[in-house]
Amino acid sequence: KGLSGGRIIVKQPDAVTRDPTQNIIVGNTVLYGAIAGEAYFGGVAGERFAVRNSGAIAVVEGTGDHGCEYMTGGIVVVLGKTGRNFAAGMSGGIAYVFDEDGGFSARCNRAMVDVTPISAARDAEDGTGRPQQRGLDVHDFGMGDVLGHDAERLRILLERHLLHTGSARAKSLLDDWDAALSRFVKVMPGDY
């Protein structure tokens, strides 16, 4: 709860053979009220993941119910299934969800958010900043202008997740990037 900087990495031991997309590795209310920092979870999070997140960056392999509820900022990437009521009351931030089975829209609370595909086309440089692999400092994690550059940002976050957790899921998505990108969706408040 309340992450306010730094980097958290949680992964299963190398000798464990469970599928991380089917293994709950962190419990309920993880990143509740987080304001800054990075978190990489090589497994599934419980319910209410990143609720009231206002600035942290997180990558996880799946979530329980009510993920990103009341989120006001930050970036969340989900590489697996979500539970129901995802993004309820989400007024800020961005979530990228790998919609492998095409059923995410039914699990997302669309009252305040739009769910859109991610374009593979590279955005034109407009002086607002592209995402970068390395953060600039403790206040700037290198995500650039969050209103554009989605494919670049998402790829960078998957690369970071692979680096920190050794995620087989992230590796397989990166290995077939064009096909994987076509199955990701962006969840963003309509008021943006």
Side-chain angles (χ1 to χ4, degrees):
K1 286 184 170 182
L3 179 67
S4 59
R7 181 181 298 135
I8 295 174
I9 301 163
V10 180
K11 63 180 190 162
Q12 59 191 21
D14 292 337
V16 174
T17 59
R18 289 185 297 260
D19 177 1
T21 65
Q22 303 296 316
N23 183 33
I24 296 178
I25 198 160
V26 292
N28 297 335
T29 67
V30 171
L31 299 182
Y32 191 107
I35 61 170
E38 298 175 278
Y40 301 94
F41 300 112
V44 177
E47 293 186 2
R48 291 195 154 77
F49 179 76
V51 169
R52 297 192 189 282
N53 176 21
S54 64
I57 296 167
V59 182
V60 65
E61 309 225 352
T63 68
D65 294 343
H66 315 292
C68 299
E69 188 177 38
Y70 304 118
M71 196 164 118
T72 62
I75 301 168
V76 171
V77 178
V78 183
L79 304 180
K81 289 194 176 189
T82 68
R84 64 184 175 83
N85 203 34
F86 190 91
M90 183 178 167
S91 62
I94 297 172
Y96 300 107
V97 177
F98 185 63
D99 189 12
E100 184 171 22
D101 64 4
F104 172 72
S105 190
R107 296 185 300 273
C108 183
N109 184 325
R110 298 181 67 162
M112 294 179 66
V113 298
D114 296 322
V115 178
T116 59
I118 298 171
S119 171
R122 188 174 167 123
D123 293 337
E125 182 55 61
D126 57 5
T128 58
R130 304 195 90 78
Q132 300 176 37
Q133 185 54 262
R134 295 185 63 150
L136 302 176
D137 58 42
V138 297
H139 304 289
D140 185 341
F141 292 97
M143 292 294 96
D145 178 7
V146 296
L147 297 179
H149 315 294
D150 292 309
E152 293 172 68
R153 179 177 308 101
L154 180 58
R155 184 175 179 101
I156 285 169
L157 290 171
L158 263 67
E159 289 169 350
R160 288 182 185 182
H161 187 64
L162 175 58
L163 173 70
H164 295 307
T165 68
S167 168
R169 175 70 145 199
K171 182 172 182 353
S172 104
L173 294 171
L174 288 165
D175 285 348
D176 194 8
W177 180 243
D178 291 336
L181 185 60
S182 70
R183 294 163 79 182
F184 272 98
V185 294
K186 177 182 181 179
V187 181
M188 185 171 180
D191 288 344
Y192 271 15

